[in-house]
């Protein structure tokens, strides 16, 4: 009769015989996570599970954000985040609390991009090689669309981190309420205080993390035959850094001063004011406008250093060139978004919804690239005639209506 140890070994041997296929990547990940979790004390696991019901708040009284705590259980997660450079992976290891919120902001940014461009020929689609990245951006092109993705992902990361600091979603050792100085134009009778969104810290960290992707500036010591390739790489790096900056700049420019009244019976004899970020929709609207006004640039030299300069057109050589200081910039012309081309992230416009008689980009004529459109009648159901019943229910009826839908050929 075998002992317990031999039976355990026999069991392992039999399990291996039952499965001749090696575990997939997902199964391997789950197994590694399970082994790490088994090493965590039971009371810490209870803290983690409890924190799920308090999303965005600290784990009990230890002031550890639940997202960062969960990530800390799997130290190997940083190298597995898609699309990060070596320097960004290093920052991820060192600043896991911040990276959680950067990721949240990046996902919010891509959703906002899809909303902003839902009625444009390019609807914020990504090339296959860029899909699923931690920061979803068009990295292998230098087009107007790539410029927008860099700017909006940078803006989203900064926006989310600034809010997280003020809301206490990061430990107090990392950041808290804003330490911004009192604005000079704030009325003297108003107090400057409250807990403002920490734009100062968020801008500093986001710059460090997003710009770290452009970590290798081309060296001038390369062979001459590589000069053209190096110049192109240098220009792309400068373009990405510039557009990252524009995204952060828009978050700051769209931030607002909010004030709260104090006083007996709402007399508002005293106001306390602070700065907070505006709704991200406002940031998205501004970046959409900057996408339309983006400037075509090329690598040039001025005062002995290389920089991006507006590209001159032959017939407008003497015309004053626009300033790129506050605008998005791009190096390459955009592909034709009317036709499907997965390599460039172009899905075509077939099947896209359009508005029949609209004169703008959402109209069927422009959106469908003059290829015509189909019309169908859909039966839609939605909640209506809602009533509140004490306490505490809202009851609605279901209303049905025929809706005309137009889609591109």
């Amino acid at each position: 009769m075998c002992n317990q140890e031999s039976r355990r070994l026999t069991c392992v041997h039999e399990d291996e015989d039952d499965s001749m296929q090696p575990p997939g990547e997902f199964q391997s990940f789950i197994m590694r996570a399970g082994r790490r979790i088994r090493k965590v004390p039971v009371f810490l696991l209870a803290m983690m599970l409890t924190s799920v019901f308090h999303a965005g708040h600290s784990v009990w009284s230890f002031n550890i954000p639940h997202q960062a705590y969960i990530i800390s259980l799997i130290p190997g997660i940083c190298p597995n985040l898609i699309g990060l450079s070596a320097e960004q992976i290093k920052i991820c290891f060192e600043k896991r609390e911040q990276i959680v919120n950067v990721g949240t902001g990046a996902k919010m940014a891509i959703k906002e991009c899809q909303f902003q461009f839902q009625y444009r020929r390019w609807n914020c689609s990504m090339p296959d090689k860029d899909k699923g990245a931690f920061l979803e951006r068009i990295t292998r092109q230098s087009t107007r669309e790539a410029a927008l993705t860099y700017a909006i992902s940078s803006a989203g990361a900064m926006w989310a981190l600034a809010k997280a600091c003020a809301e206490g979603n990061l430990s107090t050792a990392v950041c808290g309420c804003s330490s911004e100085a009192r604005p000079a134009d704030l009325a003297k009778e108003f107090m400057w205080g409250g807990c403002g969104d920490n734009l100062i810290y968020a801008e500093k960290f986001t710059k460090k993390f997003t710009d770290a992707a452009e970590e290798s500036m081309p060296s001038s010591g390369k062979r001459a035959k590589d000069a053209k390739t190096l110049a192109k790489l240098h220009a792309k790096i400068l373009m990405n850094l510039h557009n990252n900056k524009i995204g952060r700049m828009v978050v700051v420019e769209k931030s607002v001063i909010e004030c709260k009244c104090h006083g007996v019976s709402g007399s508002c004899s005293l106001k306390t004011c602070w700065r907070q970020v505006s709704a991200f929709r406002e940031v998205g609207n501004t970046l959409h406008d900057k996408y339309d006004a983006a400037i075509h640039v090329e690598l040039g030299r001025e005062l002995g250093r290389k920089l991006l300069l507006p590209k001159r057109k032959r017939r407008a050589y003497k015309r004053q060139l626009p300033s790129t200081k506050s605008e998005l910039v791009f190096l390459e012309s955009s592909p034709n978004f009317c036709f499907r081309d997965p390599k460039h992230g172009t899905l075509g416009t077939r099947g896209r919804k359009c508005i029949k008689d609209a004169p703008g980009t959402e109209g069927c004529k422009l959106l469908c690239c003059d290829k015509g459109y189909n019309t169908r009648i859909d039966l839609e159901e939605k909640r209506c005639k809602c009533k509140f019943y004490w306490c505490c229910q809202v009851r609605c009826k279901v209303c049905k209506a025929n809706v005309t839908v137009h889609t591109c050929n």
Side-chain angles (χ1 to χ4, degrees), residues 118-119 349-358 361-368 371-378 380 402-409:
Q118 61 183 315
Y119 288 117
T349 61
R350 185 174 183 177
R352 294 273 303 279
K353 289 184 179 181
C354 60
I355 301 175
K356 181 180 178 181
D357 298 318
T361 57
E362 68 275 19
C364 292
K365 180 177 177 60
L366 285 176
L367 182 58
C368 300
K371 294 185 292 184
Y373 57 91
N374 295 315
T375 302
R376 69 173 188 267
I377 305 297
D378 288 348
E380 287 191 354
N402 290 326
V403 179
T404 303
V405 178
H406 305 287
T407 56
C408 296
N409 288 331

Side-chain angles (χ1 to χ4, degrees), residues 290-343:
K290 289 187 178 297
Y291 166 87
D292 291 327
I295 300 172
H296 196 173
V297 296
E298 60 186 351
L299 188 64
R301 187 177 293 273
E302 194 172 88
L303 300 177
R305 64 190 183 97
K306 292 181 179 180
L307 70 168
L308 298 178
L309 299 173
K311 195 170 186 178
R312 289 184 180 274
K313 297 181 180 179
R314 293 181 180 179
R315 295 183 179 179
Y317 190 81
K318 294 183 180 180
R319 191 179 301 171
Q320 185 176 1
L321 296 174
S323 172
T324 61
K325 186 176 180 180
S326 60
E327 303 295 342
L328 297 178
V329 299
F330 63 98
L331 296 162
E332 303 170 357
S333 298
S334 301
N336 187 342
F337 293 107
C338 291
F339 303 96
R340 182 176 176 81
D341 182 4
K343 180 181 177 182

Side-chain angles (χ1 to χ4, degrees), residues 164-217:
C165 288
E167 292 173 358
N169 289 350
L170 287 87
S171 59
T172 54
V174 174
C175 67
C177 301
S178 175
S179 59
E180 179 185 356
R182 178 190 179 96
D185 58 349
L186 186 66
K188 293 182 179 180
E189 62 270 22
F190 295 168
M191 290 185 62
W192 181 249
C195 187
D197 295 333
N198 201 332
L199 288 163
I200 297 173
Y201 177 82
E203 183 174 19
K204 181 180 178 181
F205 182 84
T206 306
K207 180 181 187 304
K208 179 181 179 181
F209 182 73
T210 57
D211 289 1
E214 321 301 326
E215 58 189 6
S216 55
M217 277 287 187

Side-chain angles (χ1 to χ4, degrees), residues 395-406:
R395 298 176 187 173
C396 301
K397 294 183 178 180
V398 176
C399 296
K400 297 180 180 180
N402 290 326
V403 179
T404 303
V405 178
H406 305 287

Side-chain angles (χ1 to χ4, degrees), residues 14 53-54 134 136 159 258 268 288 298 320 382 399:
E14 290 173 353
F53 299 99
H54 302 279
F134 183 70
E136 275 197 59
W159 190 97
E258 288 288 333
C268 202
H288 192 158
E298 60 186 351
Q320 185 176 1
K382 60 181 180 180
C399 296

